[in-house]
């Protein structure tokens, strides 16, 4: 690392803080703070959506999977891209027209307020663990850049993200995500990818050096691919961090077209990461851990200045996911848990400056909690697996059922969350956190509970379904439906 590389990285970090301050000046309402005023156009929407879904796991982990399995290592990030494409094409327009802030508010609208608190707690746990795992990744990157102690690296990286997220909320995060999207595109796709392939001698030399399985599309294993699709593709459909970005779209066309562009970008990013990892396997066949491949090839293969830019790209990937998960965690904690416990009414539009201050406090508190947990936690993969398993096993069926099946009821949704979540947790305790069975049987149990209890209970009130249909169609809602009772059905 040279002075030029350090300068590039420091300027990038300072720029993140400056954009946070700029975003604060544009934030005057709850809508501005939580969903960027619901007015992002296609370019900004697609850039910020790609930034949130392609984090440290997709960049450092994606290269690591390529190092370990070859081109089939792209499947994890491909699953993320496929999930985003499915969300954008089939669901994003309806989600955007709901004009809510959280997934639990959507469940309240659909089922009449019977499952919002429980689903809010599940979603809060997921977003908290997602923010924690992203924050831990700072330790690896700052160790490569500055040789910092793990705790100092986590505190430094976390403090920067908490600072700009607290200042301007979603506007600050959107502005920083656009910079991060550009830096990742230039650093990883346009610089590191071709340089790594050339350093490895080209694709011909890579094929002659490595076993045939490294170039098989299913070399990672069919069951692993299936599990990736279940966890990550379906996780994209229902995660608060992803939905909160959908809510920022100016209209449903932006949500659909911009999300489709972001999903397509994810597929290209997936292949790039796997190819870089495969090249690293040729250049450094005996690394201690696959996840070391990214940092190693950056340090040893890139010229001065470019090295700093690519490491800034890695920081971009981690920061975009971390900030998106942090604001999602704080939004759920404030609007879905704290407001309900206090018996308050959840507003779905507008919001005063005082409410902005309240949301800002929650981001700060959640940010401090995330940094503290990150310092204490070591096993990132297991924490992330727990988060996604519980999220998908507990919430996938109530959410998709609410969007697709009018006979689904609040009691069915509540049973589905409880049975699916508990099944996943029990099987993780029995079979192991990284086993495939928890998500398989958790989803099956959740589906059976949702259908059986919904059919056995009274259909959802016709007035609730009528208001729901109007919201999905983007029609003006009656004044009473502008708010959702925080404790209805509790």
């Amino acid at each position: 690392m040279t002075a030029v590389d350090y300068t590039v990285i420091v300027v990038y970090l300072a720029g993140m803080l400056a954009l946070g301050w700029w975003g604060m000046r544009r934030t005057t309402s709850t809508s501005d703070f939580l969903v960027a005023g619901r007015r992002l156009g296609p370019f900004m929407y697609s850039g910020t959506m790609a930034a949130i879904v392609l984090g440290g796991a997709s960049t450092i982990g994606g290269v690591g999977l390529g190092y370990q399995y070859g081109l089939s290592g792209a499947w994890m990030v491909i699953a993320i891209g496929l999930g985003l494409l499915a969300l954008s094409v089939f669901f994003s327009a309806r989600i955007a027209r709901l004009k809510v802030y959280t997934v639990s508010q959507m469940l309240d609208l659909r089922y009449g307020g019977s499952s919002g608190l429980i689903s809010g707690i599940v979603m809060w746990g997921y977003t908290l663990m997602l923010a924690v795992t992203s924050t831990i990744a700072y330790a690896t990157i700052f160790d490569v850049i500055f040789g910092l102690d793990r705790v100092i690296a986590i505190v430094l990286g976390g403090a920067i993200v908490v600072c700009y997220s607290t200042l301007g909320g979603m506007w600050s995060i959107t502005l920083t995500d656009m910079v991060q999207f550009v830096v990742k595109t230039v650093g990883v796709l346009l610089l590191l990818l071709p340089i790594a392939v050339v350093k490895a001698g080209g694709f011909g030399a890579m094929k002659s050096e490595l076993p045939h399985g490294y170039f098989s599309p299913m070399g990672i294993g069919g069951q692993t691919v299936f599990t990736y699709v279940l966890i990550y593709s379906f996780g994209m459909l229902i995660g608060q961090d992803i939905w909160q970005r959908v809510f920022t779209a100016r209209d449903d066309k932006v949500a659909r077209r911009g999300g489709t562009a972001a999903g397509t970008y994810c597929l290209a990013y997936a292949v790039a990461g796997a190819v870089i990892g495969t090249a690293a396997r040729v250049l450094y066949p005996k690394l201690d851990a696959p996840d070391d491949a990214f940092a190693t090839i950056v340090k040893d293969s890139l010229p001065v200045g470019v090295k700093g830019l690519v490491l800034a790209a890695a920081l971009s990937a981690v920061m975009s996911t971390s900030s998106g998960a942090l604001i999602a965690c704080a939004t759920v904690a404030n609007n879905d848990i704290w407001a309900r416990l206090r018996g308050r009414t959840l507003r779905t539009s507008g919001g005063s400056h005082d409410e902005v201050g309240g949301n800002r406090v929650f981001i700060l508190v959640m940010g401090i909690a995330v940094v503290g947990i990150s310092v204490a936690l070591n096993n990132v993969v297991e924490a992330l697996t727990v988060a996604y398993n519980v999220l998908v096993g507990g919430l996938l069926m109530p959410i998709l059922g609410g969007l697709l099946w009018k006979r689904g009821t609040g009691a069915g949704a509540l049973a589905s969350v409880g049975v699916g979540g508990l099944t996943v947790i029990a099987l993780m305790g029995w079979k192991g956190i990284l086993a495939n069975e928890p998500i398989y049987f958790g989803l099956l149990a959740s589906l059976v509970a949702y259908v059986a209890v919904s059919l056995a209970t009274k259909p959802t009130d016709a007035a609730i379904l009528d208001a729901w249909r109007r919201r999905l169609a983007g029609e003006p809602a009656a004044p009473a439906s502008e708010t959702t009772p925080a404790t209805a059905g509790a």
Side-chain angles (χ1 to χ4, degrees):
M1 293 284 289
T2 67
V4 174
D5 296 312
Y6 287 125
T7 300
V8 170
I9 295 165
V10 170
V11 168
Y12 166 78
L13 294 175
M16 295 300 98
L17 293 175
L19 286 173
W21 180 263
W22 186 22
M24 182 179 68
R25 299 172 64 88
R26 302 191 64 172
T27 302
T28 59
S29 69
T30 302
S31 179
D32 287 334
F33 193 83
L34 296 182
V35 290
R38 305 187 195 274
R39 57 180 185 267
L40 296 190
F43 177 70
M44 291 192 73
Y45 177 83
S46 58
T48 191
M49 183 61 86
I52 179 65
V53 300
L54 295 174
S58 300
T59 303
I60 298 171
V63 172
L65 287 172
Y67 183 88
Q68 190 172 3
Y69 298 105
L71 298 185
S72 65
W75 271 109
M76 183 186 77
V77 184
I78 287 176
I80 292 173
L82 292 176
L84 183 54
L85 285 172
L87 174 71
S88 302
V89 173
F90 299 112
F91 300 108
S92 63
R94 283 181 283 180
I95 292 171
R97 288 195 291 265
L98 289 174
K99 302 297 182 184
V100 295
Y101 294 132
T102 70
V103 174
S104 293
Q105 286 182 330
M106 167 263 172
L107 293 174
D108 276 346
L109 287 170
R110 170 59 180 82
Y111 297 113
S114 59
S115 58
L117 179 59
I118 300 300
S119 63
I121 292 172
V122 173
M123 189 64 75
W124 174 78
Y126 157 73
T127 54
L128 180 69
M129 283 297 98
L130 186 62
V132 166
T133 54
S134 302
T135 303
I136 291 174
Y138 296 132
T140 301
I141 299 172
F142 277 104
D143 177 59
V144 172
I145 298 173
F146 302 114
L148 292 178
D149 175 76
R150 176 180 179 274
V151 174
I152 296 175
I154 289 173
V155 172
L156 176 60
I160 293 171
V161 169
V162 171
C163 184
Y164 73 69
S165 299
T166 302
L167 285 174
M170 188 59 81
W171 265 122
S172 293
I173 292 171
T174 297
L175 295 172
T176 55
D177 275 358
M178 286 306 301
V179 174
Q180 290 159 357
F181 171 72
V182 172
V183 171
K184 278 192 289 191
T185 301
V186 174
V188 175
L189 294 183
L190 301 183
L191 294 176
L192 183 58
L193 174 61
I195 290 174
V197 172
V198 170
K199 286 280 187 179
F203 284 102
M206 290 162 62
K207 286 186 176 180
S208 65
E209 289 283 338
L210 296 172
H212 175 72
Y214 267 75
F215 300 91
S216 169
M218 298 299 290
I220 199 170
Q223 188 178 41
T224 299
V225 172
F226 182 62
T227 303
Y228 281 159
V229 170
L230 279 184
I231 294 176
Y232 296 109
S233 296
F234 286 133
M236 290 296 106
L237 296 181
I238 60 176
Q240 169 67 26
D241 52 325
I242 310 302
W243 277 42
Q244 200 156 344
R245 298 310 173 99
V246 176
F247 300 150
T248 66
R250 184 171 60 209
D251 53 44
D252 53 7
K253 291 182 180 179
V254 169
R256 185 185 298 112
R257 295 172 183 173
T260 301
T264 305
Y265 177 88
C266 289
L267 301 182
Y269 200 88
V271 175
V275 171
I276 293 167
T278 305
R281 184 73 180 202
V282 174
L283 296 170
Y284 317 102
K286 296 182 179 180
L287 292 179
D288 293 334
D291 283 350
D292 293 339
F294 181 86
T296 302
I297 198 168
V298 168
K299 285 195 300 182
D300 295 349
S301 301
L302 299 183
V304 173
V306 175
K307 186 183 303 182
L309 181 62
V310 173
L311 286 174
L315 275 176
S316 296
V318 175
M319 284 185 166
S320 57
T321 300
S322 181
S323 59
L326 177 59
I327 193 171
C329 178
T331 302
V332 170
N334 187 15
N335 294 289
D336 290 336
I337 300 176
W338 179 241
R340 295 171 196 272
L341 293 176
R342 296 179 62 193
R344 291 178 54 195
T345 297
L346 303 178
R347 296 174 60 89
T348 59
S349 62
S352 67
H353 189 73
D354 289 341
E355 289 175 322
V356 172
N359 283 293
R360 191 170 277 140
V361 169
F362 266 85
I363 288 186
L364 180 60
V365 171
M366 290 297 105
I368 293 172
V370 164
V371 171
I373 296 171
S374 301
V375 169
L377 196 64
N378 287 318
N379 199 319
V380 181
V381 175
E382 290 192 356
L384 189 61
T385 301
V386 170
Y388 267 99
N389 278 352
V390 174
L391 172 73
V392 175
L395 290 181
L396 179 67
M397 295 307 167
I399 293 172
L400 292 189
L403 290 169
L404 301 174
W405 189 41
K406 67 179 181 180
R407 184 61 180 83
T409 67
L414 194 58
S416 181
V417 172
V419 172
L422 291 175
T423 301
V424 164
I425 292 170
L427 286 174
M428 284 192 294
W430 178 29
K431 294 289 188 178
I433 289 175
L434 300 180
N436 294 318
E437 289 86 353
I439 191 61
Y440 295 166
F441 291 101
L443 277 174
L444 180 60
S446 181
L447 174 61
V448 170
Y450 181 69
V451 173
V453 175
S454 291
L455 292 176
T457 53
K458 184 180 178 181
T460 305
D461 186 86
I464 293 174
L465 286 178
D466 181 64
W468 166 255
R469 284 192 292 266
R470 292 178 65 185
R471 291 290 280 264
L472 278 181
E475 297 175 4
S481 67
E482 282 298 309
T483 59
T484 301
T487 57

